[in-house]
Amino acid sequence: MDELLNEPGLQITIFLFLIPVIFALILILIRVNRMISDTIKRSELKKIYEHLSRLQPGEISALEERRKELEFQLSGNELSENKEVRDPRGLIDEANEVHDIRFLQSKREEGRNIIIPNDEKKLILWFLGCSVFWLFAGTTVGEYLGIKFVAPDADHISWLSFGRLRPVHTNIVFWGWASMAMVGFSYYVIPRVGNTKVFNLKIGYITLILMNSAVLLGSICLMAGINNSGGEYREYIWPVMLLFAVGIIISIYNHINTIAFRKTEEIYVSNWYIVSAMMFVVVILIVAYLPFWQNGLGETITQGYFMHQGVGMWFMFFNLGLMYYFLPQELNSPVYSYSLSILAFWTQILFYTLIGTHHFIFSAIPWWMQTIAIVASVGMVIPVAAGSINFMMTIRGSWHRLKLSYVLPFYVVSILFYFTGSMQGTAEAFRATNLLWHFTDFTVAHSHLTMYGIITFMLWSFTYTLVPRLTSYEPPSITVGLHFWLALIGVLVYTVSLMIGSTEKGMMWMEKKPFIEGVVKMMPFWLWRAIGGTMMWISHIVFAYNFYRMIKPRKEIRLPHTPKEILEIVHTKQQRS
């Protein structure tokens, strides 16, 4: 038994099992503590009510007088001679009241509610709720995979093997978390910019069911060893991916009809990006899954097309459209330049659709095709610079809000990652850097810098902007701050460690060192990867809690303290009697 417990794989498995158990126990203890506290407060409140029912008229008059004193306002003659010394402002009574934690600055609650039809609100929250679930599920798988780099013998179950779980992780966060959140936001943005209602809510719910079904069935198939075997990010078999595609197609129909019945004259740029991204992803899936060009080099070229178009023309394109709506809404100011947004729109379509084969430099793919991909990668500087400048100039004049807002830091970080991550992609496309970094963990670091640093941080920004305005419930600012710093520090630890280790590994390969030496060299960097990934994973648990608090706030039992609160109880009892 002792020998069995000394096995690192079993230890890690027990540890992973204990994490949700301990988390559940903590939640139970918090709940029990809250029940005890509420019981004590109810008992106190009952005693207060009994005492208030016996108040004499003189005591009620004294409370009325005290309420007037606490509501006192300056009259302008305070410097005149007064013989009677009083405390008309209640300063002495309130001098020691501290309601906030002293070493944390309180973030400001916006309090700007948005009224939309309840049916639309429910649909949007269902999309976002499902996406939060898939974020936690997908990154839990990713957390386990990160640990397997440090302890590869953690288990010997075929369903949990690295080769099966890795596509489960990537596809859940792609099609479950990010895609579902984006489509949910689109059902808010498109009607709002057209000053109209969603054309058909039933279509929205059908899309929700189809997308969830695709992710669930696809994950089960992958774990069972049933896959497309075509390439990265398209491991779902075609019947599963067909469910996802049909869901997007019917939502395109829904959105186009919603735009057609708009009350505004122009079509705002957000709608350009959103509907175009949905059209692109359908085309991308058709090209990637039709069998006509899936042999030899054609399959490789198709894989490069699918992989990069999925990231650039689905996730990035869609989120940029959402950013052009939500960033001005959060700042309550117009976008800096409409012309820059249109420039970014057309140049991204021109250049991004050509860069897929820059992942196959020095391969058997025609040299001219590789060169075009490199040139187009350089051309991506135009839309990235246009978008980054546009977003940063939109924020100008509002930088002071960073210390007061819990939402704006998410926007700023996502914009910074948008510029740096995209420029890094351009740098990686050159032949010299491709020779050093490609096929190392540098590509993994880059994909997390973009999909996590850009897409996920943007989606978190939109969530914290929209949901409190829909439900009128703010999340705790402390836990939002905890979510932000855990996610940011975690992704930096994750990506920087892999970039450093991969650079050294690439140099070893170029020096023709044995492959196993590169594996040994990466061990400490994989440990840091696991540490950073764990921080990211914990931040997702905090985010799920924040989302729960935004849709179902905690009910507080408040005991009366001020004369005003006591008098409200007295007057209510008098009215009832």
Side-chain angles (χ1 to χ4, degrees):
M1 186 64 180
D2 291 339
E3 293 180 1
L4 188 63
L5 290 175
N6 287 330
E7 288 292 329
L10 183 61
Q11 292 172 352
I12 292 171
T13 304
I14 293 172
F15 172 72
L16 288 174
F17 174 75
L18 287 177
I19 288 176
V21 173
I22 293 171
F23 185 68
L25 288 174
I26 292 171
L27 289 178
I28 292 171
L29 288 174
I30 292 172
R31 185 65 179 171
V32 170
N33 179 65
R34 181 158 182 79
M35 290 171 64
I36 295 171
S37 175
D38 287 350
T39 302
I40 294 171
K41 286 183 178 181
R42 288 192 185 98
S43 177
E44 264 188 77
L45 199 58
K46 184 178 179 181
K47 292 178 181 177
I48 291 171
Y49 271 82
E50 290 175 355
H51 176 73
L52 293 179
S53 64
R54 297 191 296 270
L55 282 181
Q56 300 299 317
E59 293 175 308
I60 295 175
S61 299
L63 284 171
E64 293 280 6
E65 181 66 23
R66 189 58 181 158
R67 185 183 68 174
K68 292 177 182 177
E69 291 172 351
L70 292 176
E71 293 175 353
F72 173 82
Q73 291 185 353
L74 293 175
S75 60
N77 61 349
E78 280 70 26
L79 296 178
S80 62
E81 184 179 355
N82 287 313
K83 295 180 180 180
E84 185 179 357
V85 179
R86 303 173 65 190
D87 178 25
R89 296 296 306 276
L91 296 176
I92 297 175
D93 287 348
E94 301 293 331
N96 295 322
E97 289 288 327
V98 178
H99 299 288
D100 297 318
I101 300 175
R102 289 182 179 272
F103 60 85
L104 291 176
Q105 184 173 13
S106 297
K107 299 294 184 179
R108 184 179 298 163
E109 295 183 358
E110 298 296 336
R112 294 196 296 267
N113 297 332
I114 296 173
I115 299 175
I116 68 171
N118 284 329
D119 291 340
E120 291 187 17
K121 184 191 301 184
K122 289 179 182 177
L123 176 63
I124 295 164
L125 292 178
W126 267 109
F127 267 104
L128 297 183
C130 291
S131 70
V132 173
F133 168 78
W134 288 120
L135 172 66
F136 175 72
T139 52
T140 299
V141 176
E143 166 73 4
Y144 189 57
L145 291 172
I147 292 173
K148 276 198 168 188
F149 273 92
V150 183
D153 290 327
D155 68 74
H156 297 281
I157 303 171
S158 61
W159 281 54
L160 301 180
S161 63
F162 187 91
R164 296 189 186 183
L165 283 186
R166 202 270 176 172
V168 170
H169 162 66
T170 55
N171 283 278
I172 285 179
V173 295
F174 266 45
W175 314 118
W177 150 241
S179 298
M180 209 160 293
M182 287 165 10
V183 175
F185 285 123
S186 73
Y187 273 100
Y188 173 81
V189 172
I190 287 181
R192 301 291 83 74
V193 297
N195 194 22
T196 185
K197 294 181 179 180
V198 174
F199 175 69
N200 190 322
L201 283 170
K202 289 183 180 179
I203 291 178
Y205 280 106
I206 294 172
T207 297
L208 178 67
I209 294 170
L210 289 173
M211 292 177 72
N212 275 303
S213 300
V215 178
L216 179 61
L217 293 174
S219 300
I220 295 172
C221 288
L222 290 177
M223 293 179 72
I226 304 169
N227 58 71
N228 184 50
S229 70
E232 194 174 20
Y233 306 145
R234 56 170 174 162
E235 292 89 352
Y236 286 171
I237 57 176
W238 71 262
V240 170
M241 214 59 205
L242 182 63
L243 296 175
F244 183 90
V246 171
I248 299 299
I249 289 170
I250 61 176
S251 275
I252 293 173
Y253 169 79
N254 211 10
H255 287 335
I256 289 177
N257 278 284
T258 302
I259 294 170
F261 289 101
R262 69 189 185 279
K263 304 295 191 300
T264 56
E265 183 177 351
E266 294 184 353
I267 300 176
Y268 184 59
V269 68
S270 290
N271 286 358
W272 289 41
Y273 277 92
I274 291 170
V275 175
S276 297
M278 297 178 84
M279 291 178 174
F280 265 108
V281 77
V282 174
V283 174
I284 291 164
L285 292 174
I286 292 173
V287 171
Y289 277 85
L290 284 179
F292 311 136
W293 38 71
Q294 302 293 336
N295 297 315
L297 286 179
E299 194 277 336
T300 304
I301 295 169
T302 303
Q303 172 57 27
Y305 169 83
F306 171 80
M307 182 169 54
H308 242 304
Q309 302 317 299
V311 174
M313 300 309 296
W314 170 237
F315 296 109
M316 192 69 73
F317 218 47
F318 205 123
N319 273 271
L320 289 173
L322 296 174
M323 178 69 88
Y324 277 112
Y325 178 85
F326 282 111
L327 181 61
Q329 184 183 61
E330 175 62 29
L331 298 172
N332 197 26
S333 62
V335 68
Y336 172 69
S337 171
Y338 201 84
S339 299
L340 278 177
S341 66
I342 300 300
L343 172 66
F345 177 86
W346 288 113
T347 51
Q348 180 148 338
I349 291 176
L350 173 63
F351 293 117
Y352 214 114
T353 50
L354 300 173
I355 69 176
T357 50
H358 77 200
H359 282 276
F360 304 105
I361 305 298
F362 302 114
S363 69
I365 290 174
W367 192 260
W368 64 265
M369 189 175 287
Q370 300 177 35
T371 304
I372 288 176
I374 296 171
V375 172
S377 299
V378 176
M380 277 301 297
V381 172
I382 298 173
V384 170
S388 301
I389 292 171
N390 211 2
F391 297 143
M392 284 299 186
M393 292 302 290
T394 302
I395 301 175
R396 79 194 190 287
S398 299
W399 291 104
H400 64 282
R401 293 184 55 191
L402 276 173
K403 63 180 181 180
L404 299 174
S405 171
Y406 61 68
V407 186
L408 198 55
F410 285 93
Y411 281 99
V412 173
V413 166
S414 67
I415 295 168
L416 291 175
F417 276 129
Y418 173 54
F419 182 77
T420 56
S422 300
M423 292 298 100
Q424 184 193 71
T426 296
E428 283 184 74
F430 294 117
R431 288 189 170 91
T433 51
N434 203 285
L435 186 65
L436 173 65
W437 284 328
H438 207 58
F439 299 118
T440 70
D441 293 74
F442 200 98
T443 306
V444 179
H446 172 67
S447 66
H448 282 77
L449 199 67
T450 51
M451 277 302 298
Y452 195 87
I454 304 173
I455 304 302
T456 298
F457 266 84
M458 282 186 179
L459 292 173
W460 285 334
S461 305
F462 309 149
T463 302
Y464 285 128
T465 293
L466 178 61
V467 178
R469 287 171 166 83
L470 290 180
T471 63
S472 304
Y473 306 137
E474 296 277 351
S477 60
I478 292 177
T479 52
V480 176
L482 182 64
H483 169 209
F484 174 79
W485 288 111
L486 280 172
L488 178 59
I489 296 173
V491 73
L492 289 175
V493 170
Y494 186 109
T495 55
V496 172
S497 60
L498 286 185
M499 288 176 186
I500 294 171
S502 299
T503 302
E504 296 182 7
K505 185 179 183 180
M507 293 172 67
M508 293 173 67
W509 285 359
M510 293 174 71
E511 294 170 2
K512 295 183 171 54
K513 295 286 181 68
F515 180 82
I516 192 63
E517 289 188 18
V519 175
V520 174
K521 183 72 175 178
M522 285 300 297
M523 284 300 293
F525 299 103
W526 284 336
L527 177 60
W528 280 108
R529 166 200 178 124
I531 293 171
T534 301
M535 295 177 69
M536 294 155 66
W537 180 64
I538 294 172
S539 79
H540 304 159
I541 299 175
V542 178
F543 171 62
Y545 170 75
N546 290 338
F547 183 79
Y548 174 78
R549 287 292 300 273
M550 287 188 287
I551 61 175
K552 190 175 182 181
R554 189 171 61 192
K555 293 182 180 179
E556 295 284 352
I557 298 176
R558 293 181 57 85
L559 299 176
H561 294 291
T562 65
K564 183 178 181 180
E565 293 170 344
I566 294 172
L567 286 169
E568 285 178 357
I569 296 173
V570 172
H571 294 155
T572 302
K573 289 179 70 67
Q574 288 176 348
Q575 289 174 359
R576 288 177 179 175
S577 61

